[in-house]
């Protein structure tokens, strides 16, 4: 036994014999020293701990939702008889893939939906949304967004910005009704926008790269009721990216016909290395399947290769991973609001997705924040993020992520378009401890850059 080990063991032994408050004190001292090792100053540490101490009741509320959702996932897995055989995969055509079919049944159960398409062949969230749209729309149909501008990458899918293969190229038109200044639905304008061509309504739950409020599932339900009352035939689709497991209900519980998302966000639990899902009405899901594979083949093909174990494992962890990300977002909101920046959502309001926006008002703030997130990463912590012209976006974007799954934004990550109001969008954290450390690193970076003094 070497001397360092003996000393550490003696130290640990001493701590264990102390009373609980003494042990807490000692552990905190060790913790602060470890933070110092990782470049966190005493000032940043103290400021962060004070903010954290004020958040206990918020976190307790999240824990309640998490407990419910964890049980919901376990129940769905048990009801659908997930077995060890389901974790294996098929090759080639992938006919009769037990694991794939069972996983799709599990998703349908969780979302209380008729059917689901959950596939590694869906490459990302944009692909899942494009697939849902183009498979359920036909030439001369009209798509309506009653919640304002959709996510940036969808502008090219729809053809708002001309793009090869867009819905516009197929003669599918698009109409948009913006939210009112207070974030409410403009029901009058929505009513006027509905016409004989309107076939599908797309509702984005999350704020995306905007500083509008995220929609709660209940509010989405109100909007769907309004539309269905006038036009029960219209397909109501929800872009659920970043929203899964944040509440105890999902948009399918309030009348959505089709709910779409990415597996490298919440429902993949950080373990899914690729994939997207579409859940909802059988007909909508079938249409998507025939488009994803081929007319005549639909859901029957699509080998799962060796990926299903990670899909199941990730889904099982998704409620707690989402909770960690949510706590990180609330921590960030409280830190930056206290420093005088506008944060969306603010420090106290209820949450409906895991994204936290912080408005810095200057490119320097956005860049310093992203550098802090990068410096906290387990992978690629030594690289420095820079703004670049990213495909699909109309301005330069800076992105920080040091992820186990490339580009995964359920892992701690931040991005900001370099355009006014110079807001950074922060999300993820597979563990709260990592999210907390990441935010502390951003604060250190902001302080070191002279943008704010503590
Ligand atoms: C992430 C996201 C998308 C697109 O997903 P990708 O996987 O990045 O293609 C679409 N809509 C919203 C609201 C998102 O957050």
């Amino acid at each position: 036994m070497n001397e360092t080990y003996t000393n550490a063991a003696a130290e640990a032994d001493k701590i264990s014999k102390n009373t609980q408050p003494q042990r807490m004190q000692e552990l905190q001292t060790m913790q602060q020293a470890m933070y110092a090792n990782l470049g966190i100053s005493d000032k940043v540490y103290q400021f962060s701990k004070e903010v954290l101490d004020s958040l206990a009741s918020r976190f307790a509320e999240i824990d309640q939702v998490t407990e419910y959702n964890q049980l919901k996932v376990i129940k769905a897995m048990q009801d659908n008889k997930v077995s060890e055989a389901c974790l294996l995969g098929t090759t080639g055509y992938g006919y009769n893939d037990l694991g794939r079919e069972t996983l799709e049944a599990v998703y349908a159960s969780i979302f209380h939906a008729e059917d689901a398409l959950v596939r590694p062949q869906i490459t990302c969230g944009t692909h899942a949304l494009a697939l849902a749209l183009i498979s359920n729309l036909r030439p001369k149909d009209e798509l309506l967004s009653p919640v304002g501008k959709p996510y940036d990458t969808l502008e090219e899918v729809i053809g708002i910005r001309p793009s090869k293969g867009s819905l516009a190229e197929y003669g599918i038109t698009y109409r948009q009704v913006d939210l009112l200044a207070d974030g409410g639905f403009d029901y009058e304008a929505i009513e006027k926008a509905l016409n004989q061509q309107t076939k599908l309504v797309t509702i984005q739950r999350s704020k995306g790269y905007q500083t509008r409020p995220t929609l709660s599932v209940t509010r989405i339900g109100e909007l769907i009721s309004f539309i269905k009352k006038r036009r029960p035939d219209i397909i109501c689709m929800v872009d659920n990216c970043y929203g899964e497991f944040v509440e105890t209900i999902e948009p399918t519980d309030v009348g959505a016909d089709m709910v779409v998302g990415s597996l490298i966000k919440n429902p993949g639990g950080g373990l899914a290395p690729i994939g997207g899902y579409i859940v909802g009405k059988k007909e909508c899901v079938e249409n998507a399947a025939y488009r994803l594979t081929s007319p005549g083949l639909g859901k029957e093909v699509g080998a799962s290769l060796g990926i299903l174990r990670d899909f199941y494992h990730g889904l099982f962890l998704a409620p707690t991973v989402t909770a960690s990300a949510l706590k990180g977002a609330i921590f960030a909101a409280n830190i930056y609001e206290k420093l005088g920046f506008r944060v969306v959502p603010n420090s106290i309001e209820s949450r409906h997705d895991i994204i936290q926006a912080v408005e810095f008002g200057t490119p320097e703030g956005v860049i310093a924040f992203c550098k802090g997130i990068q410096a906290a990463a387990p992978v690629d912590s030594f690289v420095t993020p820079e703004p670049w012209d990213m495909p699909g976006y109309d301005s330069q974007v800076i992105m920080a992520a040091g992820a186990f799954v490339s580009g995964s934004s359920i892992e701690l990550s931040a991005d900001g378009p370099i355009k006014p109001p110079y807001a950074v969008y922060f999300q993820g954290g597979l563990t709260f401890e990592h999210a907390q450390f990441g935010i502390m690193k951003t604060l250190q970076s902001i302080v070191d850059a002279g943008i704010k003094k503590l």
Side-chain angles (χ1 to χ4, degrees), residues 131-427:
L131 178 63
L133 290 172
I134 204 152
S135 63
N136 280 284
L137 289 162
R138 295 291 178 271
K140 299 200 180 69
D141 285 345
E142 187 160 281
L143 169 67
L144 170 67
S145 170
V147 297
K149 190 179 96 60
Y151 193 75
D152 286 40
T153 58
L154 285 198
E155 292 188 357
E156 286 178 287
V157 170
I158 296 167
I160 300 170
R161 276 185 285 140
S163 177
K164 279 201 194 307
S166 69
L167 299 182
E169 277 197 349
Y170 287 88
I172 296 160
T173 56
Y174 171 71
R175 205 176 279 261
Q176 174 178 318
V177 174
D178 289 336
L179 293 173
L180 297 169
D182 66 358
F185 301 126
D186 189 346
Y187 283 120
E188 212 173 296
I190 294 169
E191 174 124 50
K192 276 199 200 118
L194 293 172
N195 61 64
Q196 281 318 302
Q197 261 60 54
T198 314
K199 172 77 180 296
L200 198 151
V201 163
T202 180
I203 302 167
Q204 184 177 307
R205 177 173 175 179
S206 167
K207 69 182 81 58
Y209 279 152
Q210 286 167 281
T211 45
R212 69 144 164 105
T214 287
L215 303 175
S216 68
V217 174
T218 303
R219 286 194 64 208
I220 289 172
E222 287 161 11
L223 180 55
I224 292 173
S225 300
F226 179 87
I227 290 159
K228 290 280 185 185
K229 213 173 196 172
R230 282 148 189 85
R231 290 285 305 280
D233 57 308
I234 287 178
I235 300 168
C236 291
M237 178 184 105
V238 175
D239 174 352
N240 207 28
C241 282
Y242 290 129
E244 299 90 352
F245 300 121
V246 172
E247 300 184 40
T248 53
I249 50 172
E250 298 292 343
T252 31
D253 292 314
V254 295
D257 300 299
M258 196 163 43
V259 171
V260 184
S262 163
L263 297 197
I264 61 168
K265 293 179 180 171
N266 309 15
L271 293 184
I274 191 170
Y277 76 88
I278 298 172
V279 299
K281 291 269 159 64
K282 194 162 193 61
E283 194 188 340
C284 295
V285 172
E286 249 172 16
N287 284 338
Y290 286 125
R291 181 77 196 201
L292 175 65
T293 63
S294 153
L297 300 180
K299 290 183 79 182
E300 303 303 317
V301 295
S304 56
L305 308 173
I307 221 160
L308 290 174
R309 175 189 303 280
D310 289 338
F311 282 12
Y312 282 106
H313 197 172
L315 180 62
F316 175 74
L317 294 177
T320 49
V321 168
T322 302
S324 298
L326 211 46
K327 288 176 181 175
I330 291 170
F331 178 59
N334 280 269
I335 290 268
Y336 282 100
E337 192 175 82
K338 204 168 171 181
L339 290 173
F341 294 104
R342 178 168 182 245
V343 295
V344 183
N346 71 26
S347 61
I348 54 172
E349 69 190 278
S350 70
R351 301 262 157 176
H352 311 290
D353 70 7
I354 64 168
I355 302 181
Q356 181 62 50
V358 183
E359 277 184 29
F360 284 105
T362 62
E364 291 74 25
V366 172
I367 293 166
F369 185 100
C370 288
K371 286 183 173 166
I373 291 292
Q374 191 72 39
V379 180
D380 288 339
S381 62
F382 47 86
V383 306
T384 306
E386 302 285 353
W388 66 298
D389 295 303
M390 197 180 159
Y393 296 85
D394 66 357
S395 69
Q396 283 208 319
V397 178
I398 181 167
M399 300 204 147
F404 297 105
V405 171
S406 181
S408 163
S409 49
I410 186 61
E411 296 188 49
L412 188 68
S413 50
D415 26 288
I418 305 296
K419 63 181 179 187
Y422 299 105
V424 76
Y425 297 81
F426 154 81
Q427 68 272 312

Side-chain angles (χ1 to χ4, degrees), residues 32-100:
Q32 189 168 353
M34 183 59 96
Y35 273 114
N37 274 337
L38 286 157
I40 300 294
S41 69
D42 287 352
K43 267 195 175 153
V44 167
Y45 180 83
Q46 294 301 347
F47 186 83
S48 303
K49 284 292 166 185
E50 270 167 40
V51 168
L52 191 59
D53 285 344
S54 70
L55 298 175
S57 70
R58 291 297 300 283
F59 285 12
E61 186 185 336
I62 292 171
D63 291 341
Q64 294 291 330
V65 174
T66 309
E67 197 172 326
Y68 180 90
N69 283 332
Q70 182 71 76
L71 296 175
K72 178 158 80 170
V73 169
I74 292 171
K75 177 93 168 59
M77 290 189 174
Q78 293 183 350
D79 286 351
N80 290 287
K81 296 201 160 43
V82 174
S83 64
E84 195 173 358
C86 293
L87 308 179
L88 305 173
T90 56
T91 56
Y93 294 106
Y95 293 129
N96 304 313
D97 186 320
L98 174 72
R100 181 190 70 212

